[in-house]
Amino acid sequence: MTMIKFFEKDPYAPIQYVYDVEKVLYKGKSKFQEIMVFENPYFGRILVLDNVVQLTERDEFIYHEMLTHVLMHAHPEAKTVAVIGGGDGGAVREVLKHDSVQKLYFVEIDEEVINISKRFFPTVSSAIDDPRVEIRCMDGAEFIKEMENTLDVIIVDSTDIIGFAKSLFTVEFFKSVRDALKESGMFVTLSESLIFHKNLVYEVQNSMKLIFPIVDLYTASIATYAGNWWSFSVGSKSLDPREIRKSVKVSTKLYTEDLHKACFLPRDIYKKLLNKELDW
């Protein structure tokens, strides 16, 4: 019997990933996007939004740990955190490993993604019902405007920078983020691949530099995201995100203190990126 194949349609990638499909567990459409969950012999269950793979059971921990723990350890004591997007709940799970967190705003525009994750990805969505979590099903850009000087850390876990996710990458949004953060506050957003989307990484960095006194970039290798060498853009009001201010006590599979120091783009390469001198 030939196995069905899923051909990913990533709007930015010059290559195409193909996955064997053992079984389609769910296929539907929300108000915002097409949602599918299928089973793969190597990666386990896979979540697909608008034909782009968002996570696989096998490697989701890499993305979620790197998206959250870098800033959660660079901040001395993050008590109030907002996760914008990330309807699967992976970022929420990682943030809540920190005992310092008293309140987590989980802002996801598409409630259906939360429901699907609870149903099919219980290990990813495991912390969504924690009493510290307040779920707000709305546009993250609108939510941030309400939060003046109240948040320690803001984490944006959106889909690719197209469609309704675009509102989370404007200069106006970055301004709202800055205003929503306390004086020691920090913000991180995914910013695509340093290999395939170098110009996009540059644009996000450049926009953030107009708003934040400290801007930086760190990376992680993620097998299932096109371009693999994935980047995370950081904006900070006063603290250097390269520095660890809180000893690592949380249980992680990948993130460590050494990795924290090593994951930031070396300063000479970072300088080349900002000067548009990266020759690839």
Side-chain angles (χ1 to χ4, degrees), residues 13 29-30 42 54 98 135 137-138 149 188 190 197 213-214 224 270 277:
K29 198 170 178 13
S30 72
Y42 181 82
Q54 302 299 311
H98 294 262
I135 298 174
C137 292
M138 63 185 294
N149 200 28
V188 64
L190 67 116
H197 320 124
I214 299 167
T224 45
Y270 184 52
E277 290 167 358

Side-chain angles (χ1 to χ4, degrees), residues 52-224:
V52 179
V53 169
Q54 302 299 311
L55 69 85
T56 81
E57 281 183 315
R58 183 156 194 145
D59 75 346
E60 55 85 11
F61 71 92
I62 299 174
Y63 173 73
H64 289 129
E65 286 186 13
M66 294 307 289
L67 177 67
T68 55
H69 291 304
V70 175
L71 291 200
M72 291 302 291
H73 286 93
H75 194 286
E77 183 86 345
K79 291 177 180 168
T80 311
V81 179
V83 171
I84 294 175
D88 51 73
V92 170
R93 176 194 67 200
E94 295 303 318
V95 168
L96 290 181
K97 287 179 179 178
H98 294 262
D99 295 338
S100 63
V101 178
Q102 295 168 1
K103 177 82 175 176
L104 189 152
Y105 294 98
F106 179 23
V107 188
E108 167 58 57
I109 200 167
D110 193 347
E111 193 172 6
E112 202 45 40
V113 178
I114 299 176
N115 298 335
I116 293 299
S117 188
K118 280 182 168 180
R119 189 170 148 197
F120 295 104
F121 298 92
T123 58
V124 182
S125 60
S126 55
I128 286 175
D129 293 325
D130 186 291
R132 291 172 287 175
V133 176
E134 183 181 318
I135 298 174
R136 304 279 284 270
C137 292
M138 63 185 294
D139 179 354
E142 291 306 310
F143 165 81
I144 280 298
K145 286 176 190 167
E146 301 171 13
M147 309 297 291
E148 194 135 339
N149 200 28
T150 51
L151 299 166
D152 294 308
V153 172
I154 297 171
I155 294 163
V156 169
D157 179 9
S158 81
T159 48
D160 284 312
I161 308 173
I162 50 167
F164 58 84
K166 262 189 166 162
S167 68
L168 303 177
F169 293 91
T170 62
V171 172
E172 186 194 357
F173 175 69
F174 296 147
K175 261 190 196 134
S176 303
V177 165
R178 182 195 62 198
D179 295 344
L181 288 168
K182 292 178 189 167
E183 213 29 63
S184 58
M186 287 184 259
F187 154 68
V188 64
T189 181
L190 67 116
S191 47
E192 308 282 330
S193 156
L194 206 48
I195 295 288
F196 287 174
H197 320 124
K198 182 186 66 182
N199 292 341
L200 214 148
V201 180
Y202 168 80
E203 279 168 33
V204 172
Q205 285 282 312
N206 222 24
S207 299
M208 284 170 69
K209 275 188 169 294
L210 300 173
I211 308 301
F212 289 94
I214 299 167
V215 176
D216 217 326
L217 190 79
Y218 66 89
T219 65
S221 301
I222 302 170
T224 45

